[in-house]
Amino acid sequence: MTYSLITYWYDLTICKFFAYTAVTLMILHILTSLCIFFFFHDGSSAHYLSMNKRTIIQRITAILMIILVHFHIFAYSHMATGETLSQGQAIFRCFTECIFIISAFVHTSVSFSKALTTLGVINSSKAAKIIDKVVYTVCTVAALAALYAVLRFFGGDII
């Protein structure tokens, strides 16, 4: 979708396919995470949270994404309808999109090796640290590209 924003190339069918696929995966992820948190009480004690800053960051960004996904869904609706945004609408959508993107990539970066550990894919702290470095780098580059695309896309409506 970053490519779509940078080039102004928009295909509703392809965009909807990516959106529906992402929504399906995120709903499964949210349900699984809530089940683990509430039914298995994994990482839900105050002592555990005070020892693990990554879990706090993970949960804060998850809450932000749940709140901001409602704005994200409508952020680009004007592309399909041909509506012209006011400067205020463009600033608001740009701001909420930037926060949504940052939250998504921070959440992914702090969660990835933990997910692989939980799934039993990795079992050493050395492997987790290597994966963390790679994922942090990939997420940083991807987030910067997405932020650039959003700022460039909405910048024309803001200026």
Side-chain angles (χ1 to χ4, degrees), residues 46-107:
H47 179 264
Y48 179 81
L49 287 176
S50 67
M51 301 280 294
N52 196 342
K53 290 177 181 37
R54 284 173 58 158
T55 301
I56 295 168
I57 292 169
Q58 184 181 31
R59 293 190 181 150
I60 290 170
T61 55
I63 291 167
L64 276 172
M65 285 187 295
I66 289 169
I67 293 167
L68 293 173
V69 73
H70 303 290
F71 297 104
H72 173 71
I73 290 169
F74 298 106
Y76 305 101
S77 61
H78 67 285
M79 292 174 68
T81 63
E83 172 191 2
T84 302
L85 299 179
S86 70
Q87 188 177 24
Q89 288 173 314
I91 290 170
F92 180 77
R93 290 180 184 192
C94 183
F95 177 75
T96 58
E97 276 300 286
C98 288
I99 301 301
F100 181 77
I101 288 166
I102 292 167
S103 297
F105 282 107
V106 169
H107 182 81

Side-chain angles (χ1 to χ4, degrees), residues 16 34 70-71 88 105 108 114 120 122 128-129 155 158:
K16 290 290 185 183
L34 290 173
H70 303 290
F71 297 104
F105 282 107
T108 301
K114 290 171 67 173
I122 58 173
K129 287 179 183 179
I158 293 172

Side-chain angles (χ1 to χ4, degrees), residues 1-9 75-76 78-79 90 93-95 97-98 101 105 140-158:
M1 295 314 301
T2 298
Y3 176 80
S4 180
L5 291 179
I6 289 173
T7 62
Y8 294 103
W9 175 79
Y76 305 101
H78 67 285
M79 292 174 68
R93 290 180 184 192
C94 183
F95 177 75
E97 276 300 286
C98 288
I101 288 166
F105 282 107
T140 300
V141 170
L144 290 173
L147 289 169
Y148 168 76
V150 167
L151 291 170
R152 183 171 179 255
F153 180 81
F154 286 108
D157 293 325
I158 293 172

Side-chain angles (χ1 to χ4, degrees), residues 104-117:
F105 282 107
V106 169
H107 182 81
T108 301
S109 66
V110 299
S111 304
F112 198 82
S113 66
K114 290 171 67 173
L116 293 178
T117 301

